[in-house]
Structures are given as structure tokens and as C-alpha cells.
């Protein structure tokens, strides 16, 4: 019991350090205005149901799902059409060609298209087969593709067109099981991303989890596994239909938590999950600091060469930009506009303005999660150690 308690405290301190050292986050509108289909400058352009984003150099490729188009945003800030593809979903690069999942309104009979990034010419890859409910697509260093279908992941050997079941039970078999190859079980995989070592990371909406698949097909759970929006470590954290996923220049994972309307970060290999932008359960289109910004059903994610994160904000028909500026613990503490106290059976908090407050136990159990008005408040809490997160800054409180 003593060892378990010690490990829990160490885990909480890891989470506290990750939150406290989080870079200062600023959210802005990068492109798009209202729903529509229009090229032009960044804020003149119009999109409809953005699905995925992909950078190649300084060019940003956009899956404009309901407009049946792959759009391209060039460094001069102009939005144009690269190619017409029926309901495009996730994209990936292989052999200097852009591959994209072609969707259907019924979510069945999905196929893979190859698009020339020079001419926009589209080739339907019949030899790669037909897929159902496909959302995820990525490619390895050899140019082979990995595509999700229903509750599994298939590998396509592009040189031969051979399709191999890589992980999952195949067909409509679903579940939530770690294991190797066909022993593993998934439920409605979302977007996928692959690292330089060939490990695939998947945002798995049906199981509210982020999974890892090694090059040999070994499947493990990185974080999550229950529905919610609690920050924490590994499976102590929770998600609400994670969908988009990418790897940042820092080597960590970034996930769009679609039904929570937030952007989450997962450190590797520790699995520390923090919310970097958005307010869980709050729909909106507000720019500003990460803790004050709001999204509406965020989907695809992509980093540019300068370390900025771009979000396909599907419900707002816009591409949002998240910029990071390093901060320190001392700066965060000196600028805070709140005060915490711990009394018997409660945590007291005084706020100078309306702020988002989260309280959770050392093991990640949520005690309180909501927005409080300016003034003094009391949050009931039993005896123990708690983490209090106010507008992105986390502190430890001991209730006696």
C-alpha cells in the first residue's frame, strides 16, 4: 500500500510539472470565414466541414469534405483548389505523391486516391481495395500505406497492391483489447500518425483512447479508455471521441478531442495528458489564450515548420492556429489572478475574473470541472492531496 501511494504521488507530481511548464498558448483564426466554397485570401476563403490537414514544406493541404476538394494554402496566404476528390478524409505523403481516403455518404465503399501535388491529377487506386468507415491513413518510410477499416488497420504494400490485416480482428469485430496483430481489438479508429521509428499512433473515437501500434503489430493503450475530459496520466486520463492526431516538433502527441471541443497533449513516453486549448464541453469560436479559446468539433491537426499547430475546426468552417510561447513556473505564479486556500472538508478559491477551474485527485479522478465567476467559492473535498488547475496553471492543495 505504501509503494502504491508513493507511486501515485510521483505520478501526480509528473502531471503537475507538465502542466506548470506548459508553454503559453495563443489561439487565432488562420483561414476561413463562413460556410461555403470560395478561394482567395486566408480570411476571404470559405470551407465546408474540414476533415484533415497536412503540411508538405510550407504548403498546407486541406481535406474540404463536403466540398469534395483538396484545397491548398500556399505561403503567400492564398487558398486554391488542388484536386477534386469525393469527400476527402485523411491524407498522407508517399513517394512524392499525396494519398487520400475517398469517402462516401454511407461511409462504405471508401477507396484510396493518389494525387499529384504538381498537377492535381487524381488516380483512383482500384488495386488497393475497398474499405468501410475509413478515417485513418498514414505511410511508413518505405512508402507503404496503413488504412483503418471499421475496427481494424490494414497495411497496403504499395509496390504490389497487396492488402494485409495489420492489427485488429478484421471485418466488423470490435472491442478494446491490447495485444499483437489480430489479437488486438479497436472500435472506430480515427486519424493515425506514424513516427520516425515506424510506430503508429491512433485516435480511437469509439473507445475514447489513444493507441500505439509498433512495426511488429503490438498494440498498447497510450492514454484514455473512458469517456470524459479529465487530464491525467495514461489510462487515468479520459477523452470524448478523440479524432485528429499528430506528432509535434517536441516529439509528443497532440489530439483533437472532438466531442469535448478541446485540444489535448500527451507526453511520450510518460503518457501525461493535459488540455492545451479549449474549454471542455463548451462550443464556440473565441480566440485568445488556450484556456479561454473555444472550438466546435475540432478534427484534423498539423504542425508547420515553425512549430505552430493548425486545427481543422470543422463546426466553425475555419482553420485555427495555435502558437506556443515558452513560459516558466515563476512567471505563471506571479501573474496569476486567483488565490487558493485549504480548509477542513473544502478547497477555497478566490477569482479576480471568470475562470475555468478543474480539481482532481492524485490518481486523476475529477472532483470539479467548470467555469466560476469572479469572487470567492468553496469546493467540497475530502481529506487528501488534490491538484487544482485554474486557466491552465496547476497547483497542489492539501485538505486536512
Amino acid at each position: 500500500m505504501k509503494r502504491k501511494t508513493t507511486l501515485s504521488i510521483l505520478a501526480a507530481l509528473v502531471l503537475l510539472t507538465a502542466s506548470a511548464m506548459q508553454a503559453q498558448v495563443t489561439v487565432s483564426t488562420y483561414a476561413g470565414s463562413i460556410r461555403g466554397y470560395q478561394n482567395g485570401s486566408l480570411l476571404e476563403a470559405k470551407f465546408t466541414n474540414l476533415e484533415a490537414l497536412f503540411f508538405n514544406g510550407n504548403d498546407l493541404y486541406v481535406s474540404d469534405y463536403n466540398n469534395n476538394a483538396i484545397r491548398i494554402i500556399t505561403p503567400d496566404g492564398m487558398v486554391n483548389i488542388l484536386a477534386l476528390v469525393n469527400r476527402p478524409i485523411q491524407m498522407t505523403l508517399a513517394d512524392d505523391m499525396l494519398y487520400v481516403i475517398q469517402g462516401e455518404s454511407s461511409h462504405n465503399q471508401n477507396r484510396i486516391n493518389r494525387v499529384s501535388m504538381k498537377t492535381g491529377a487524381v488516380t483512383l487506386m482500384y488495386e488497393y481495395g475497398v474499405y468501410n468507415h475509413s478515417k485513418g491513413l498514414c505511410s511508413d518510410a518505405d512508402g507503404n500505406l496503413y488504412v483503418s477499416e471499421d475496427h481494424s488497420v490494414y497495411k497496403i504494400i504499395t509496390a504490389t497492391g497487396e492488402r494485409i490485416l495489420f492489427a485488429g480482428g478484421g471485418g466488423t469485430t470490435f472491442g478494446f483489447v491490447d495485444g499483437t496483430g489480430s489479437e488486438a481489438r479497436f472500435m472506430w479508429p480515427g486519424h493515425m500518425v506514424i513516427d520516425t521509428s515506424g510506430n503508429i499512433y491512433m485516435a480511437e473515437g469509439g473507445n475514447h483512447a489513444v493507441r500505439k501500434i509498433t512495426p511488429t503489430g503490438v498494440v498498447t493503450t497510450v492514454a484514455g479508455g473512458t469517456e470524459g475530459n479529465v487530464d491525467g496520466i495514461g489510462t487515468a486520463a479520459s477523452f470524448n471521441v478523440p479524432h485528429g492526431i499528430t506528432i509535434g516538433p517536441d516529439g509528443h502527441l497532440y489530439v483533437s478531442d472532438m466531442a469535448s471541443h478541446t485540444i489535448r497533449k500527451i507526453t511520450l513516453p510518460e503518457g501525461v495528458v493535459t488540455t492545451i486549448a479549449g474549454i471542455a464541453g463548451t462550443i464556440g469560436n473565441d480566440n485568445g489564450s488556450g484556456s479561454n479559446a473555444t472550438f466546435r468539433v475540432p478534427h484534423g491537426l498539423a504542425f508547420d515548420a515553425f512549430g505552430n499547430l493548425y486545427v481543422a475546426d470543422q463546426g466553425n468552417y475555419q482553420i485555427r492556429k495555435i502558437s506556443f510561447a515558452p513560459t516558466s513556473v515563476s512567471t505563471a505564479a506571479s501573474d496569476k489572478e486567483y488565490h487558493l486556500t485549504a480548509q477542513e472538508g473544502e478547497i477555497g478559491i478566490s477569482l479576480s475574473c471568470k475562470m475555468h477551474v478543474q480539481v482532481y485527485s492524485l490518481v486523476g479522478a475529477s472532483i470539479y470541472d467548470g467555469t466560476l465567476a469572479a469572487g470567492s467559492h468553496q469546493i467540497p473535498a475530502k481529506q487528501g492531496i488534490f491538484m487544482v488547475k485554474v486557466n491552465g496553471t496547476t497547483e497542489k492543495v492539501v485538505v486536512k
Side-chain angles (χ1 to χ4, degrees):
M1 178 64 73
K2 183 177 181 181
R3 175 177 170 80
K4 185 179 290 185
T5 302
T6 301
L7 290 174
S8 296
I9 293 173
L10 289 173
L13 290 176
V14 171
L15 178 61
L16 171 64
T17 302
S19 299
M21 294 302 292
Q22 189 71 264
Q24 182 178 339
V25 173
T26 303
V27 179
S28 59
T29 300
Y30 176 69
S33 51
I34 60 175
R35 179 174 182 167
Y37 189 27
Q38 179 175 312
N39 293 321
S41 64
L42 292 175
L43 298 183
E44 291 175 341
K46 296 177 183 178
F47 305 92
T48 302
N49 283 19
L50 295 161
E51 172 65 32
L53 303 174
F54 180 83
F55 266 102
N56 183 42
N58 292 321
D59 293 327
L60 177 58
Y61 295 84
V62 181
S63 289
D64 196 356
Y65 184 81
N66 274 15
N67 282 327
N68 303 311
I70 301 294
R71 315 282 289 277
I72 180 172
I73 304 179
T74 50
D76 60 358
M78 296 302 295
V79 180
N80 291 292
I81 299 170
L82 173 68
L84 298 178
V85 173
N86 190 57
R87 298 182 185 272
I89 308 178
Q90 193 172 14
M91 302 167 285
T92 191
L93 182 67
D95 299 324
D96 296 322
M97 301 291 282
L98 189 69
Y99 289 82
V100 57
I101 298 173
Q102 171 184 299
E104 296 292 341
S105 57
S106 64
H107 302 293
N108 295 323
Q109 302 296 307
N110 300 148
R111 289 187 178 273
I112 296 175
N113 284 261
R114 186 177 66 196
V115 181
S116 169
M117 292 184 288
K118 295 180 179 179
T119 66
V122 178
T123 303
L124 182 57
M125 307 302 290
Y126 289 101
E127 62 269 35
Y128 291 169
V130 179
Y131 301 86
N132 297 324
H133 294 272
S134 296
K135 296 292 184 182
L137 182 68
C138 61
S139 56
D140 63 22
D142 296 323
N144 299 310
L145 302 178
Y146 299 82
V147 57
S148 67
E149 180 188 33
D150 284 327
H151 314 292
S152 301
V153 176
Y154 288 84
K155 180 177 181 178
I156 301 173
I157 309 299
T158 51
T160 63
E162 182 183 6
R163 164 177 155 159
I164 304 168
L165 178 62
F166 187 62
T172 58
T173 303
F174 65 90
F176 188 23
V177 180
D178 289 342
T180 301
S182 59
E183 298 173 353
R185 294 291 182 268
F186 304 98
M187 186 173 181
W188 304 126
H191 290 184
M192 301 189 298
V193 65
I194 193 166
D195 67 15
T196 54
S197 298
N199 298 300
I200 295 172
Y201 295 90
M202 169 201 295
E204 188 185 6
N207 283 321
H208 309 288
V210 173
R211 314 287 290 279
K212 176 183 177 180
I213 312 174
T214 69
T216 57
V218 178
V219 178
T220 54
T221 301
V222 178
T226 55
E227 181 178 345
N229 47 60
V230 177
D231 288 342
I233 301 175
T235 55
S238 57
F239 295 86
N240 195 353
V241 194
H243 188 76
I245 188 168
T246 191
I247 299 173
D250 54 5
H252 301 309
L253 299 175
Y254 292 79
V255 179
S256 61
D257 204 4
M258 186 173 71
S260 285
H261 313 286
T262 57
I263 309 301
R264 317 286 290 277
K265 176 181 178 179
I266 308 174
T267 64
L268 295 177
E270 300 88 355
V272 179
V273 180
T274 53
T275 302
I276 65 166
I279 302 172
T282 300
I283 294 174
N285 191 20
D286 296 319
N287 291 320
S289 66
S291 56
N292 290 323
T294 51
F295 300 87
R296 187 183 183 97
V297 197
H299 273 54
L301 303 173
F303 275 93
D304 67 13
F306 305 99
N308 300 301
L309 178 60
Y310 294 77
V311 181
D313 194 3
Q314 188 178 91
N316 285 319
Y317 315 111
Q318 294 176 345
I319 299 172
R320 312 286 290 282
K321 179 180 178 180
I322 300 179
S323 303
F324 301 86
T327 187
S328 64
V329 175
S330 59
T331 300
S334 63
D335 291 340
K336 71 177 186 180
E337 298 178 340
Y338 65 91
H339 179 68
L340 298 176
T341 59
Q343 303 173 25
E344 185 176 353
E346 66 181 26
I347 298 171
I349 180 168
S350 299
L351 305 175
S352 63
C353 59
K354 184 172 72 173
M355 294 186 184
H356 186 227
V357 177
Q358 293 175 280
V359 180
Y360 43 89
S361 69
L362 284 176
V363 295
S366 179
I367 307 301
Y368 179 83
D369 188 346
T371 301
L372 297 176
S376 298
H377 306 271
Q378 288 74 42
I379 299 174
K382 296 179 180 180
Q383 182 180 8
I385 303 174
F386 298 89
M387 297 298 170
V388 181
K389 186 175 181 180
V390 183
N391 274 14
T393 300
T394 304
E395 291 188 37
K396 181 173 69 175
V397 173
V398 180
V399 178
K400 298 181 179 180

